[in-house]
Structure formats: C-alpha cells, structure tokens
Amino acid sequence: MAIIVIPARHSSTRLPGKPLLDIAGKPMVVRVAEQARLSGIARVVIATDHKGIAHASLAHGVEVIMTRADHATGTDRLAEVVMQLALPDDEVVVNVQGDEPLIEPELVRAVADLLQAKPAASIATACHAISDTEEAFNSNVVKVVLDRDGMALYFSRSTIPHARDALVQSAKLIPAGLPIYRHVGLYAYRAGFLRRFPKLEAPAIERFEALEQLRALWHGYKIAVLVAAGHPAPGVDTAEDLARVRALFDRSAKSL
C-alpha cells in the first residue's frame, strides 16, 4: 500500500502564498496533486496548516489533512499525517513537494516501487547524473554518493566525489567516469520510520549542511536511491519559474 502526501505551507520568502498561485485556472498545489495521481497511486493527500490552502484543495476534490503550524521540517509534518491516519508501519508514504506542478508521475511511482523492493531501506529517493560543471560546483545543488547496492553513502552541497587529480589540472571540467549525481527532492518513506523521525537527535552534519536526510544516515537508516534518466522537471521557486510553468500549461491547453 502507498499514499502520496503533499506538504503545503503558505509562507514563502520568494513567492508568498506559493501553493495558491494560479496555473491555468487552478492553484499550484492542486496541479501538483493532479500530476501525483497520474502515478497510479490512488490516495493523494495535501497536508497543510493553512485554511485557505485547505479550502482551495477541497474545492478541487483533493483530500486534505490539517496539521500543526510549528513543524520544523516537512518530514515532521509527514509524521503527523502518519499519526492522524494511523497508517501501518509498512505503508509507503511518498513525499511530493507542493511546488512541483511538472513532477513526473513515472518517477513518483518508481521511487515508491523502489522502497517496496528494498526491505533493508527505510527511505527511497532519486538522483540523476551531473554533466554540467556549473551544477557540479553549485552549493545549492545537493549531491549524493552511492554504494554498490544503490544505497546513499552521503549527501552534500559540496562537490562529491571530489576528483582530486583531475581538478588540480582543471577546475572547469568533470572528468569522464566520475560518478557525480544530483539529488532529486522526492522521497518515499516507511510509515514506521516517520513515526520515529521526530524523536531522532539532529546531528551536526545535518545542521551544517542543512540537509535533514543526513539525520537518517547518521542514525543508521538506509536510503535507497534511484538513478533517473535525464533531468527531472524543476520546481517553482521564483517568479521566473512560475512564468515558465504557466507558459507550458498554456501551450499544452492550446494544443488540445
């Protein structure tokens, strides 16, 4: 069994009220829910602390769970949803971000299936190969290093693995064969892990890197990673992103 949960907060520094911004006649968070449903996972829930988001979602037929407003992370909000719905420990909970109206349904399903296929893992996520030097050295781009079984060894904003000899010769080229991957912020969790997560100590590596998935690794939980082909669609973080997504939806509507 699997469920998709979309955490949606109203506050946003760069785009206030982001989940409710209109995309082709519907709020962005509703567009995300519609994409998520195309994964074939029947139950899609929006988790929010904002009545306006809840009202708009219900008006478009999307299930809503009201959560507390004081959660430190989106994962804590998911944990509350697990408790409210009394989900069994083996239920797969897929976290789809509320600002990704172009999220690929096939990728959502693949990450959920990966967790179900990896009993040793508590979490599954995705990544894709980096070929662009700017991405490789951008601290806003999270990288992940994998072991031979496709489990995450570490996540970092630094350029990992670091090609020591090649980068001494040129800091502008990614050497052939370097297994450098960009992490995609899509997660599937076992409900039992989410119940435990809020009680786990936050280690220094999480605080310094500002990456909460490091808490799971630090405590010994395994994270299975799907290496996706191509480059998954970007989310909406800026006004420019929003304009681009609106244009794509407009073109799609005109082609029908």
Side-chain angles (χ1 to χ4, degrees), residues 58-78:
L58 290 170
H60 287 87
V62 184
E63 183 180 357
V64 173
I65 296 290
M66 294 300 296
T67 59
R68 302 198 321 267
D70 60 347
H71 288 302
T73 70
T75 311
D76 291 303
R77 195 177 305 278
L78 291 180

Side-chain angles (χ1 to χ4, degrees), residues 8 29 40 77 106 111 120 123 150 189 191 206 214 217 236 246:
V29 71
R77 195 177 305 278
E106 298 82 5
V111 169
I123 306 170
Y189 302 91
E206 175 188 351
L214 291 175
L217 290 183
V236 176
R246 282 173 169 168

